[in-house]
Amino acid sequence: ISREYRVNFRLLFEIEYTNGEHIAPVLDYLATDKIHRGFGAKEIDIIAACGSLNEEVNLNDLFLFRKVFKYGKQLDTNSINKIDRSLLEKCLPEGIKIHDADIFTIPTVLNSSQNLISEMRQRSNLAGIELELAHALETMSRFPDVSFKVIYEVHDKPSGVGEPKEKTIGTYVPGL
């Protein structure tokens, strides 16, 4: 006789070490049902850091994506990221703002050219830059029954000549 036990709990893990495309197999395992040897998650929420391409955004502000680009190509995001914005706003410390932004997934931050940065700025008036989201969306598109939400914290932004590090590199929002 087999019995199924349902346990509701939240699994928290640091995605910092799943840079870029490496997030795909992690999400695939989490979203795959237990019958197929996965974890069987019904809800996956990611809170991650990104860079902002806009000087007027404050460090530690939050980005909710409206469009996502992978190496310049826009991905379909219609059924993903149904975040209760009003609830999120109530939970934030004073001074932290939420922005709807276009998110650009790039292969690496170490060799991004000025041409790429200029192209992203031309395509969007409010943009974030990061390494994982497009890979995550491609993976999660195969799991329509799993709720998938993403919030990005602006952790760095363009620096002007002579600006102190504190104005361009943020610290994590407490409690987020």
Side-chain angles (χ1 to χ4, degrees):
I1 297 174
S2 112
R3 293 184 187 169
E4 180 181 331
Y5 293 95
R6 298 197 86 155
V7 178
N8 291 325
F9 64 93
R10 294 205 181 263
L11 172 68
L12 302 175
F13 70 96
E14 178 62 61
I15 71 162
E16 189 171 336
Y17 299 107
T18 57
N19 289 333
E21 62 195 27
H22 302 294
I23 196 166
V26 173
L27 290 175
D28 186 70
Y29 170 74
L30 291 174
T32 298
D33 60 40
K34 292 179 182 183
I35 294 169
H36 294 99
R37 297 184 181 243
F39 187 76
K42 296 294 178 203
E43 202 176 306
I44 298 175
D45 302 340
I46 294 179
I47 301 170
C50 74
S52 172
L53 297 179
N54 307 84
E55 289 86 356
E56 65 274 4
V57 172
N58 294 318
L59 293 174
N60 305 113
D61 279 358
L62 301 182
F63 280 169
L64 303 179
F65 67 81
R66 57 184 175 206
K67 294 180 192 169
V68 178
F69 297 86
K70 179 181 180 184
Y71 314 149
K73 181 183 173 200
Q74 185 174 343
L75 301 179
D76 175 22
T77 58
N78 290 334
S79 62
I80 300 176
N81 225 35
K82 307 292 186 212
I83 292 176
D84 185 340
R85 188 185 189 112
S86 62
L87 179 62
L88 181 59
E89 287 172 341
K90 292 176 189 175
C91 299
L92 291 175
E94 188 176 324
I96 302 296
K97 295 181 183 139
I98 300 172
H99 307 273
D100 293 311
D102 296 335
I103 303 293
F104 292 86
T105 298
I106 59 171
T108 177
V109 293
L110 299 178
N111 66 0
S112 297
S113 70
Q114 286 295 4
N115 291 341
L116 178 63
I117 302 298
S118 295
E119 179 186 332
M120 286 186 254
R121 284 185 170 149
Q122 287 174 1
R123 290 181 98 168
S124 177
N125 61 346
L126 186 58
I129 186 169
E130 55 77 65
L131 302 171
E132 298 84 22
L133 184 57
H135 304 289
L137 290 176
E138 289 174 335
T139 299
M140 295 309 297
S141 69
R142 296 192 325 266
F143 300 96
D145 295 335
V146 177
S147 169
F148 182 64
K149 300 176 192 138
V150 181
I151 299 170
Y152 275 101
E153 178 194 351
V154 175
H155 199 260
D156 52 89
K157 63 182 196 170
S159 60
V161 176
E163 271 191 296
K165 179 181 170 184
E166 299 79 37
K167 289 192 173 220
T168 60
I169 302 289
T171 57
Y172 292 100
V173 175
L176 189 61

